[in-house]
Every structure is written in structure tokens, then in C-alpha cells.
Amino acid sequence: MPWLWTFYDYDNRGIPNTNNGIDGVFSDIKAKVRVHSGLTREHRKKLIDEYLSRHY
């Protein structure tokens, strides 16, 4: 609970007060993984790692 309102203390650092941005990233990753439904767990990890390294 002490970290709940941290973004109010650090307004100048650009910490968002919602999690909409990360939800958007997760939904995009889910869509990419869903299209390639036959991937093994190892290949799925590689797909997610590659996606994150290229976009973020």
C-alpha cells in the first residue's frame, strides 16, 4: 500500500497513474501469440522476447 500513490510524488518523471499502456502491450502480445497457436512453450518465449526487444 505505501507504493500505491507513488506517481503523485514523482510527477516530473512521467509515471502514469493508470495501467492502460501495459494492458495495451499485453493485448498486442496475446494477439500475436494467438495467431501462432501451434508454438511450443520455448518458441512462444522467443516470440515474446523478440517482440519486446524490437518494440521496447
Side-chain angles (χ1 to χ4, degrees):
M1 290 299 283
W3 297 104
L4 185 61
W5 305 109
T6 302
F7 68 94
Y8 281 130
D9 297 334
Y10 300 100
D11 282 340
N12 60 348
R13 295 188 185 190
I15 298 173
N17 61 350
T18 65
N19 61 349
N20 292 337
I22 195 74
D23 282 343
V25 171
F26 287 151
S27 66
D28 196 26
I29 291 173
K30 284 182 187 179
K32 301 276 189 258
V33 170
R34 194 177 305 124
V35 169
H36 303 289
S37 60
L39 292 175
T40 63
R41 180 177 285 263
E42 185 63 31
H43 286 137
R44 189 177 307 138
K45 286 180 183 179
K46 287 181 181 180
L47 176 96
I48 293 169
D49 286 342
E50 184 67 26
Y51 176 85
L52 291 175
S53 68
R54 288 184 183 213
H55 291 91
Y56 301 98

